[in-house]
mmCIF file of all heavy atoms in Angstrom:
data_model
loop_
_atom_site.group_PDB
_atom_site.id
_atom_site.type_symbol
_atom_site.label_atom_id
_atom_site.label_comp_id
_atom_site.label_asym_id
_atom_site.label_seq_id
_atom_site.Cartn_x
_atom_site.Cartn_y
_atom_site.Cartn_z
ATOM 1 N N ASP A 1 -26.787 -36.345 -81.560
ATOM 2 C CA ASP A 1 -27.404 -35.399 -82.483
ATOM 3 C C ASP A 1 -28.512 -34.590 -81.810
ATOM 4 O O ASP A 1 -28.749 -33.431 -82.150
ATOM 5 C CB ASP A 1 -27.938 -36.117 -83.719
ATOM 6 C CG ASP A 1 -28.919 -37.226 -83.398
ATOM 7 O OD1 ASP A 1 -28.885 -37.749 -82.267
ATOM 8 O OD2 ASP A 1 -29.726 -37.584 -84.279
ATOM 9 N N ARG A 2 -29.207 -35.181 -80.816
ATOM 10 C CA ARG A 2 -30.261 -34.446 -80.109
ATOM 11 C C ARG A 2 -29.791 -33.874 -78.770
ATOM 12 O O ARG A 2 -30.436 -32.986 -78.221
ATOM 13 C CB ARG A 2 -31.469 -35.356 -79.881
ATOM 14 C CG ARG A 2 -31.195 -36.592 -79.084
ATOM 15 C CD ARG A 2 -32.412 -37.482 -78.908
ATOM 16 N NE ARG A 2 -32.095 -38.739 -78.251
ATOM 17 C CZ ARG A 2 -31.913 -38.867 -76.941
ATOM 18 N NH1 ARG A 2 -32.037 -37.819 -76.155
ATOM 19 N NH2 ARG A 2 -31.621 -40.050 -76.419
ATOM 20 N N LEU A 3 -28.655 -34.344 -78.258
ATOM 21 C CA LEU A 3 -28.193 -33.903 -76.935
ATOM 22 C C LEU A 3 -27.048 -32.900 -76.986
ATOM 23 O O LEU A 3 -26.752 -32.255 -75.976
ATOM 24 C CB LEU A 3 -27.755 -35.118 -76.099
ATOM 25 C CG LEU A 3 -28.877 -35.960 -75.495
ATOM 26 C CD1 LEU A 3 -28.313 -37.221 -74.853
ATOM 27 C CD2 LEU A 3 -29.656 -35.148 -74.470
ATOM 28 N N ALA A 4 -26.394 -32.763 -78.138
ATOM 29 C CA ALA A 4 -25.232 -31.878 -78.209
ATOM 30 C C ALA A 4 -25.575 -30.452 -77.769
ATOM 31 O O ALA A 4 -24.873 -29.856 -76.944
ATOM 32 C CB ALA A 4 -24.647 -31.883 -79.617
ATOM 33 N N LEU A 5 -26.651 -29.891 -78.309
ATOM 34 C CA LEU A 5 -27.002 -28.511 -77.964
ATOM 35 C C LEU A 5 -27.446 -28.376 -76.510
ATOM 36 O O LEU A 5 -26.971 -27.474 -75.807
ATOM 37 C CB LEU A 5 -28.076 -27.989 -78.917
ATOM 38 C CG LEU A 5 -28.433 -26.501 -78.757
ATOM 39 C CD1 LEU A 5 -27.193 -25.627 -78.885
ATOM 40 C CD2 LEU A 5 -29.490 -26.095 -79.782
ATOM 41 N N PRO A 6 -28.344 -29.248 -75.991
ATOM 42 C CA PRO A 6 -28.694 -29.141 -74.568
ATOM 43 C C PRO A 6 -27.489 -29.283 -73.648
ATOM 44 O O PRO A 6 -27.403 -28.591 -72.620
ATOM 45 C CB PRO A 6 -29.688 -30.291 -74.367
ATOM 46 C CG PRO A 6 -30.296 -30.512 -75.707
ATOM 47 C CD PRO A 6 -29.197 -30.236 -76.688
ATOM 48 N N LEU A 7 -26.543 -30.138 -74.000
ATOM 49 C CA LEU A 7 -25.348 -30.298 -73.171
ATOM 50 C C LEU A 7 -24.487 -29.039 -73.222
ATOM 51 O O LEU A 7 -23.942 -28.603 -72.204
ATOM 52 C CB LEU A 7 -24.545 -31.509 -73.631
ATOM 53 C CG LEU A 7 -25.134 -32.875 -73.236
ATOM 54 C CD1 LEU A 7 -24.421 -33.999 -73.970
ATOM 55 C CD2 LEU A 7 -25.036 -33.081 -71.716
ATOM 56 N N ARG A 8 -24.361 -28.462 -74.401
ATOM 57 C CA ARG A 8 -23.594 -27.214 -74.528
ATOM 58 C C ARG A 8 -24.250 -26.105 -73.707
ATOM 59 O O ARG A 8 -23.567 -25.355 -73.000
ATOM 60 C CB ARG A 8 -23.512 -26.807 -76.000
ATOM 61 C CG ARG A 8 -22.768 -25.503 -76.246
ATOM 62 C CD ARG A 8 -21.339 -25.591 -75.764
ATOM 63 N NE ARG A 8 -20.568 -24.422 -76.153
ATOM 64 C CZ ARG A 8 -19.390 -24.099 -75.611
ATOM 65 N NH1 ARG A 8 -18.874 -24.844 -74.644
ATOM 66 N NH2 ARG A 8 -18.743 -23.045 -76.017
ATOM 67 N N GLU A 9 -25.570 -26.002 -73.789
ATOM 68 C CA GLU A 9 -26.280 -24.974 -73.022
ATOM 69 C C GLU A 9 -26.186 -25.212 -71.524
ATOM 70 O O GLU A 9 -26.218 -24.269 -70.728
ATOM 71 C CB GLU A 9 -27.739 -24.935 -73.469
ATOM 72 C CG GLU A 9 -27.916 -24.413 -74.895
ATOM 73 C CD GLU A 9 -29.340 -24.528 -75.397
ATOM 74 O OE1 GLU A 9 -30.126 -25.297 -74.787
ATOM 75 O OE2 GLU A 9 -29.670 -23.854 -76.395
ATOM 76 N N ALA A 10 -26.017 -26.480 -71.125
ATOM 77 C CA ALA A 10 -25.867 -26.803 -69.703
ATOM 78 C C ALA A 10 -24.475 -26.472 -69.180
ATOM 79 O O ALA A 10 -24.276 -26.363 -67.967
ATOM 80 C CB ALA A 10 -26.158 -28.286 -69.473
ATOM 81 N N GLY A 11 -23.505 -26.317 -70.102
ATOM 82 C CA GLY A 11 -22.163 -25.957 -69.684
ATOM 83 C C GLY A 11 -21.065 -26.885 -70.146
ATOM 84 O O GLY A 11 -19.897 -26.690 -69.802
ATOM 85 N N LEU A 12 -21.399 -27.914 -70.933
ATOM 86 C CA LEU A 12 -20.374 -28.821 -71.426
ATOM 87 C C LEU A 12 -19.430 -28.079 -72.367
ATOM 88 O O LEU A 12 -19.865 -27.273 -73.186
ATOM 89 C CB LEU A 12 -21.013 -30.003 -72.162
ATOM 90 C CG LEU A 12 -20.079 -31.189 -72.440
ATOM 91 C CD1 LEU A 12 -19.733 -31.912 -71.151
ATOM 92 C CD2 LEU A 12 -20.705 -32.154 -73.440
ATOM 93 N N ASP A 13 -18.137 -28.374 -72.249
ATOM 94 C CA ASP A 13 -17.143 -27.701 -73.081
ATOM 95 C C ASP A 13 -16.830 -28.456 -74.364
ATOM 96 O O ASP A 13 -16.669 -27.847 -75.418
ATOM 97 C CB ASP A 13 -15.855 -27.493 -72.279
ATOM 98 C CG ASP A 13 -16.069 -26.548 -71.105
ATOM 99 O OD1 ASP A 13 -16.557 -25.424 -71.342
ATOM 100 O OD2 ASP A 13 -15.775 -26.933 -69.964
ATOM 101 N N ARG A 14 -16.719 -29.784 -74.290
ATOM 102 C CA ARG A 14 -16.372 -30.533 -75.494
ATOM 103 C C ARG A 14 -16.727 -32.011 -75.329
ATOM 104 O O ARG A 14 -17.124 -32.440 -74.248
ATOM 105 C CB ARG A 14 -14.898 -30.373 -75.852
ATOM 106 C CG ARG A 14 -13.939 -30.931 -74.825
ATOM 107 C CD ARG A 14 -12.493 -30.890 -75.318
ATOM 108 N NE ARG A 14 -11.636 -31.668 -74.447
ATOM 109 C CZ ARG A 14 -11.486 -32.978 -74.542
ATOM 110 N NH1 ARG A 14 -12.152 -33.659 -75.461
ATOM 111 N NH2 ARG A 14 -10.685 -33.623 -73.719
ATOM 112 N N VAL A 15 -16.535 -32.763 -76.441
ATOM 113 C CA VAL A 15 -16.844 -34.199 -76.436
ATOM 114 C C VAL A 15 -15.706 -34.990 -77.076
ATOM 115 O O VAL A 15 -14.982 -34.477 -77.939
ATOM 116 C CB VAL A 15 -18.157 -34.521 -77.193
ATOM 117 C CG1 VAL A 15 -19.353 -33.969 -76.458
ATOM 118 C CG2 VAL A 15 -18.095 -34.012 -78.628
ATOM 119 N N ASN A 16 -15.578 -36.233 -76.647
ATOM 120 C CA ASN A 16 -14.763 -37.252 -77.314
ATOM 121 C C ASN A 16 -15.729 -38.319 -77.819
ATOM 122 O O ASN A 16 -16.516 -38.852 -77.030
ATOM 123 C CB ASN A 16 -13.769 -37.904 -76.357
ATOM 124 C CG ASN A 16 -12.553 -37.040 -76.097
ATOM 125 O OD1 ASN A 16 -12.660 -35.828 -75.973
ATOM 126 N ND2 ASN A 16 -11.403 -37.666 -75.976
ATOM 127 N N VAL A 17 -15.667 -38.630 -79.110
ATOM 128 C CA VAL A 17 -16.582 -39.597 -79.705
ATOM 129 C C VAL A 17 -15.794 -40.789 -80.240
ATOM 130 O O VAL A 17 -14.830 -40.616 -80.990
ATOM 131 C CB VAL A 17 -17.406 -38.961 -80.843
ATOM 132 C CG1 VAL A 17 -18.342 -39.989 -81.466
ATOM 133 C CG2 VAL A 17 -18.195 -37.760 -80.321
ATOM 134 N N SER A 18 -16.202 -41.986 -79.868
ATOM 135 C CA SER A 18 -15.533 -43.191 -80.337
ATOM 136 C C SER A 18 -16.006 -43.540 -81.755
ATOM 137 O O SER A 18 -17.198 -43.608 -82.015
ATOM 138 C CB SER A 18 -15.830 -44.362 -79.401
ATOM 139 O OG SER A 18 -15.328 -44.102 -78.107
ATOM 140 N N LEU A 19 -15.058 -43.753 -82.658
ATOM 141 C CA LEU A 19 -15.375 -44.162 -84.027
ATOM 142 C C LEU A 19 -14.186 -44.960 -84.557
ATOM 143 O O LEU A 19 -13.099 -44.417 -84.731
ATOM 144 C CB LEU A 19 -15.633 -42.952 -84.925
ATOM 145 C CG LEU A 19 -15.956 -43.273 -86.388
ATOM 146 C CD1 LEU A 19 -17.273 -44.034 -86.507
ATOM 147 C CD2 LEU A 19 -16.012 -41.997 -87.219
ATOM 148 N N ASP A 20 -14.391 -46.253 -84.801
ATOM 149 C CA ASP A 20 -13.295 -47.135 -85.184
ATOM 150 C C ASP A 20 -13.240 -47.446 -86.670
ATOM 151 O O ASP A 20 -12.281 -48.073 -87.134
ATOM 152 C CB ASP A 20 -13.390 -48.464 -84.411
ATOM 153 C CG ASP A 20 -13.245 -48.258 -82.909
ATOM 154 O OD1 ASP A 20 -12.450 -47.394 -82.504
ATOM 155 O OD2 ASP A 20 -13.937 -48.958 -82.141
ATOM 156 N N THR A 21 -14.250 -47.034 -87.422
ATOM 157 C CA THR A 21 -14.269 -47.345 -88.844
ATOM 158 C C THR A 21 -15.165 -46.370 -89.588
ATOM 159 O O THR A 21 -16.115 -45.816 -89.026
ATOM 160 C CB THR A 21 -14.767 -48.790 -89.078
ATOM 161 O OG1 THR A 21 -14.809 -49.051 -90.482
ATOM 162 C CG2 THR A 21 -16.160 -49.008 -88.491
ATOM 163 N N LEU A 22 -14.870 -46.186 -90.876
ATOM 164 C CA LEU A 22 -15.703 -45.362 -91.741
ATOM 165 C C LEU A 22 -16.671 -46.208 -92.555
ATOM 166 O O LEU A 22 -17.510 -45.670 -93.269
ATOM 167 C CB LEU A 22 -14.814 -44.543 -92.690
ATOM 168 C CG LEU A 22 -13.850 -43.567 -92.022
ATOM 169 C CD1 LEU A 22 -12.974 -42.899 -93.072
ATOM 170 C CD2 LEU A 22 -14.606 -42.525 -91.210
ATOM 171 N N ASP A 23 -16.560 -47.512 -92.435
ATOM 172 C CA ASP A 23 -17.381 -48.435 -93.211
ATOM 173 C C ASP A 23 -18.583 -48.888 -92.391
ATOM 174 O O ASP A 23 -18.413 -49.528 -91.348
ATOM 175 C CB ASP A 23 -16.537 -49.640 -93.612
ATOM 176 C CG ASP A 23 -17.282 -50.607 -94.505
ATOM 177 O OD1 ASP A 23 -18.246 -51.246 -94.022
ATOM 178 O OD2 ASP A 23 -16.908 -50.744 -95.688
ATOM 179 N N PRO A 24 -19.816 -48.585 -92.815
ATOM 180 C CA PRO A 24 -21.002 -48.972 -92.038
ATOM 181 C C PRO A 24 -21.102 -50.474 -91.787
ATOM 182 O O PRO A 24 -21.490 -50.906 -90.696
ATOM 183 C CB PRO A 24 -22.175 -48.472 -92.892
ATOM 184 C CG PRO A 24 -21.601 -47.367 -93.707
ATOM 185 C CD PRO A 24 -20.189 -47.770 -93.996
ATOM 186 N N GLY A 25 -20.734 -51.278 -92.792
ATOM 187 C CA GLY A 25 -20.780 -52.718 -92.610
ATOM 188 C C GLY A 25 -19.785 -53.198 -91.583
ATOM 189 O O GLY A 25 -20.073 -54.064 -90.745
ATOM 190 N N ARG A 26 -18.581 -52.636 -91.635
ATOM 191 C CA ARG A 26 -17.550 -52.998 -90.646
ATOM 192 C C ARG A 26 -17.957 -52.511 -89.259
ATOM 193 O O ARG A 26 -17.700 -53.184 -88.258
ATOM 194 C CB ARG A 26 -16.219 -52.396 -91.084
ATOM 195 C CG ARG A 26 -15.040 -52.831 -90.252
ATOM 196 C CD ARG A 26 -13.739 -52.278 -90.818
ATOM 197 N NE ARG A 26 -13.267 -53.076 -91.947
ATOM 198 C CZ ARG A 26 -12.130 -52.830 -92.609
ATOM 199 N NH1 ARG A 26 -11.372 -51.790 -92.262
ATOM 200 N NH2 ARG A 26 -11.759 -53.598 -93.611
ATOM 201 N N PHE A 27 -18.585 -51.344 -89.214
ATOM 202 C CA PHE A 27 -19.077 -50.829 -87.934
ATOM 203 C C PHE A 27 -20.060 -51.822 -87.316
ATOM 204 O O PHE A 27 -20.005 -52.108 -86.116
ATOM 205 C CB PHE A 27 -19.758 -49.479 -88.150
ATOM 206 C CG PHE A 27 -20.286 -48.837 -86.893
ATOM 207 C CD1 PHE A 27 -19.493 -47.974 -86.143
ATOM 208 C CD2 PHE A 27 -21.585 -49.084 -86.450
ATOM 209 C CE1 PHE A 27 -19.977 -47.378 -84.984
ATOM 210 C CE2 PHE A 27 -22.077 -48.503 -85.294
ATOM 211 C CZ PHE A 27 -21.271 -47.648 -84.560
ATOM 212 N N HIS A 28 -20.953 -52.356 -88.131
ATOM 213 C CA HIS A 28 -21.932 -53.323 -87.637
ATOM 214 C C HIS A 28 -21.232 -54.573 -87.111
ATOM 215 O O HIS A 28 -21.610 -55.124 -86.066
ATOM 216 C CB HIS A 28 -22.916 -53.692 -88.748
ATOM 217 C CG HIS A 28 -24.033 -54.576 -88.299
ATOM 218 N ND1 HIS A 28 -23.917 -55.952 -88.262
ATOM 219 C CD2 HIS A 28 -25.285 -54.294 -87.846
ATOM 220 C CE1 HIS A 28 -25.044 -56.478 -87.806
ATOM 221 N NE2 HIS A 28 -25.890 -55.491 -87.551
ATOM 222 N N THR A 29 -20.201 -55.007 -87.807
ATOM 223 C CA THR A 29 -19.456 -56.181 -87.356
ATOM 224 C C THR A 29 -18.751 -55.912 -86.033
ATOM 225 O O THR A 29 -18.738 -56.763 -85.133
ATOM 226 C CB THR A 29 -18.418 -56.596 -88.421
ATOM 227 O OG1 THR A 29 -19.094 -56.908 -89.641
ATOM 228 C CG2 THR A 29 -17.603 -57.788 -87.963
ATOM 229 N N LEU A 30 -18.171 -54.727 -85.895
ATOM 230 C CA LEU A 30 -17.425 -54.374 -84.688
ATOM 231 C C LEU A 30 -18.319 -54.148 -83.480
ATOM 232 O O LEU A 30 -17.977 -54.536 -82.358
ATOM 233 C CB LEU A 30 -16.601 -53.104 -84.944
ATOM 234 C CG LEU A 30 -15.238 -53.276 -85.600
ATOM 235 C CD1 LEU A 30 -14.698 -51.918 -86.027
ATOM 236 C CD2 LEU A 30 -14.271 -53.948 -84.640
ATOM 237 N N THR A 31 -19.451 -53.495 -83.701
ATOM 238 C CA THR A 31 -20.297 -53.065 -82.581
ATOM 239 C C THR A 31 -21.547 -53.922 -82.403
ATOM 240 O O THR A 31 -22.263 -53.770 -81.413
ATOM 241 C CB THR A 31 -20.754 -51.613 -82.781
ATOM 242 O OG1 THR A 31 -21.645 -51.545 -83.912
ATOM 243 C CG2 THR A 31 -19.563 -50.690 -83.010
#
């Protein structure tokens, strides 16, 4: 959230973001 714009301005073209669940509780269990 704080690095996306600086990375874009530096020349980054795109990102891949890991996300295995939409449930915050399950996310906590997984990660």
